């Protein structure tokens, strides 16, 4: 840790050899910027945990069969054959292709991505539920265990989110490698939730979400949580206006946050023109209502 390492220089070949009992390697707080440097460690046959927090990595990949990194003529092992924990917090990873490539590691179940642009909503990153849905095998994300219920909820929310986007841009399906598999598994229809023209109870309920609203602002006073049925097409801006009315907040400027199971911090819903459906807000979600500081 903390040695200004930017390159890994094996002694006698392109890959690091030996260290046959090494299970944990901590290279945090260094200056490694190229994933190809990390690939030089991929034939450490017993390596289970690799800590790369606080480096300068902007992308990563898992090698294709036949590449120089894929199968060692010496060990016969796949790259990172036993790696189960990979910590990549506080790097510069911003692309979903890097996230998707984590599915190719044979035994990887514990991943940290916090502190990267890909997890920062302000920088165009994606929320926790999208990461869970895209990472099929991960059991621990950013230090928080993924329960079977959280995985199911995340995958269903993700499919519905992609369905709503595909109607506007069918080409986007290429960016979602797990979409078809998950859509078929959960038997989710192609149509996004919509309010039927007939106005009957079934038609209306299909496009509504049950949302619990909780006031958390210091100057809001004690207010009981409210559960409301809202159209999935309700925008964040419209919901702020409704909260003002529901809780009699006297035109206070508001922020809304989505409270997600397993996520240490609630997600700020910062685009007033986005709908609940666009943001992947699911049925029975909890939204925190806070004053804008």
């Amino acid at each position: 840790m903390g040695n200004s390492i930017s390159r890994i220089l094996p002694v006698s070949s392109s890959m690091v050899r030996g260290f046959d009992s090494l299970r944990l390697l901590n290279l945090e707080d260094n200056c490694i910027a190229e994933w190809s440097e990390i690939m030089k460690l991929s034939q450490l046959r017993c390596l289970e945990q690799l800590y790369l927090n606080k480096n300068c990595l902007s992308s990563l990949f898992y090698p294709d069969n036949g590449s120089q990194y894929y199968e060692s003529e010496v060990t016969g092992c796949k790259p990172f054959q036993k790696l189960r924990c990979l910590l990549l917090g506080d790097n510069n990873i911003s692309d979903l292709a890097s996230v998707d490539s984590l599915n190719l590691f044979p035994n990887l179940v514990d991943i940290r991505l916090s502190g990267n642009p890909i997890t920062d909503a302000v920088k165009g990153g994606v929320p926790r539920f999208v990461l869970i849905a895209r990472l099929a095998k991960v059991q621990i994300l950013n230090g928080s265990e993924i329960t079977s219920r959280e995985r199911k909820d995340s995958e269903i929310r993700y499919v519905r989110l992609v369905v709503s986007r595909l109607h506007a841009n069918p080409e986007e399906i290429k960016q979602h490698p797990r979409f078809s598999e998950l859509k078929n598994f959960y038997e989710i229809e192609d149509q996004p939730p919509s309010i039927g023209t007939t106005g009957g109870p079934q038609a209306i309920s299909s496009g509504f979400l049950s949302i619990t609203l909780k006031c958390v602002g210091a100057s809001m006073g004690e207010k009981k949580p409210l559960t409301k049925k809202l159209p999935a097409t309700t925008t964040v801006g419209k919901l702020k206006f409704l909260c003002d009315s529901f809780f009699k907040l006297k035109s206070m400027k508001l922020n809304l946050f989505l409270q997600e199971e397993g996520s240490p911090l609630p997600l700020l819903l910062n685009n007033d023109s986005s709908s609940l459906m666009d943001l992947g807000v699911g049925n029975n979600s909890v939204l925190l209502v806070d004053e804008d500081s």
Side-chain angles (χ1 to χ4, degrees):
M1 295 174 66
N3 278 299
S4 302
I5 296 168
S6 60
R7 299 189 62 205
I8 292 168
L9 301 170
V11 177
S12 56
S13 72
S14 61
M15 309 287 269
V16 176
R17 305 285 183 202
F19 301 101
D20 287 344
S21 301
L22 182 65
R23 289 185 290 128
L24 188 155
L25 178 58
N26 190 339
L27 290 169
E28 290 186 5
D29 196 17
N30 278 294
C31 310
I32 302 167
E34 298 294 332
W35 185 252
S36 54
E37 295 299 316
I38 302 303
M39 284 305 305
K40 296 172 185 176
L41 304 169
S42 64
Q43 290 298 329
L44 293 173
R45 66 174 75 195
C46 290
L47 187 64
E48 296 177 4
Q49 299 179 70
L50 181 56
Y51 298 175
L52 297 170
N53 296 325
K54 298 182 181 176
N55 274 276
C56 308
L57 296 162
S58 57
S59 64
L60 62 111
F61 62 87
Y62 191 83
D64 296 327
N65 195 345
S67 88
Q68 61 173 316
Y69 302 111
Y70 189 74
E71 200 157 3
S72 163
E73 67 286 352
V74 178
T75 65
C77 290
K78 290 180 181 177
F80 294 115
Q81 177 72 52
K82 290 196 173 180
L83 191 70
R84 58 181 179 79
C85 174
L86 179 60
L87 305 187
L88 293 162
D90 297 305
N91 277 278
N92 299 316
I93 297 165
S94 59
D95 65 306
L96 285 167
S98 289
V99 173
D100 294 336
S101 72
L102 294 167
N103 284 311
L104 301 174
F105 288 69
N107 290 295
L108 191 58
V109 293
D110 183 352
I111 297 167
R112 180 173 291 279
L113 289 166
S114 52
N116 282 280
I118 196 62
T119 62
D120 186 343
V122 177
K123 296 178 181 174
V126 297
R128 177 179 170 89
F129 80 90
V130 170
L131 294 174
I132 290 172
R134 295 185 84 113
L135 294 168
K137 296 180 291 187
V138 66
Q139 296 170 12
I140 300 171
L141 179 62
N142 297 335
S144 179
E145 185 177 353
I146 299 167
T147 63
S148 55
R149 178 180 172 179
E150 186 186 10
R151 173 161 290 286
K152 180 181 177 181
D153 289 351
S154 295
E155 290 176 343
I156 290 172
R157 282 175 67 190
Y158 171 71
V159 171
R160 287 179 176 152
L161 175 65
V162 177
V163 164
S164 72
R165 289 180 174 174
L166 289 181
H167 283 77
N169 180 17
E171 285 294 300
E172 190 171 322
I173 196 166
K174 295 173 184 173
Q175 299 166 28
H176 301 279
R178 293 199 70 216
F179 170 70
S180 296
E181 168 202 343
L182 292 173
K183 179 175 169 291
N184 293 335
F185 182 78
Y186 292 112
E187 300 179 342
I188 293 172
E189 296 298 318
D190 269 335
Q191 289 299 320
S194 59
I195 298 164
T197 50
T198 59
Q202 258 189 319
I204 292 176
S205 66
S206 70
F208 276 63
L209 301 171
S210 179
I211 303 291
T212 298
L213 301 163
K214 291 183 179 179
C215 280
V216 296
S219 65
M220 292 177 176
E222 288 288 324
K223 297 189 186 293
K224 288 184 178 177
L226 287 178
T227 299
K228 295 283 186 181
K229 280 205 174 290
L230 300 167
T233 52
T234 304
T235 64
V236 172
K238 172 73 170 174
L239 185 50
K240 288 178 182 177
F241 175 79
L242 291 172
C243 287
D244 187 64
S245 170
F246 294 154
F247 294 111
K248 300 179 172 58
L249 296 174
K250 300 174 184 173
S251 302
M252 190 181 285
K253 199 172 179 189
L254 302 177
N255 277 329
L256 299 179
F257 296 84
L258 176 62
Q259 193 169 43
E260 297 189 278
E261 182 183 347
S263 188
L265 293 172
L267 175 71
L268 173 63
L269 307 182
N270 59 353
N271 187 342
D272 280 5
S273 61
S274 293
S275 71
L276 298 177
M277 185 168 64
D278 291 338
L279 295 165
V281 175
N283 199 33
N284 299 319
S285 290
V286 176
L287 296 183
L288 307 180
V289 184
D290 198 0
E291 56 201 307
D292 186 353
S293 54

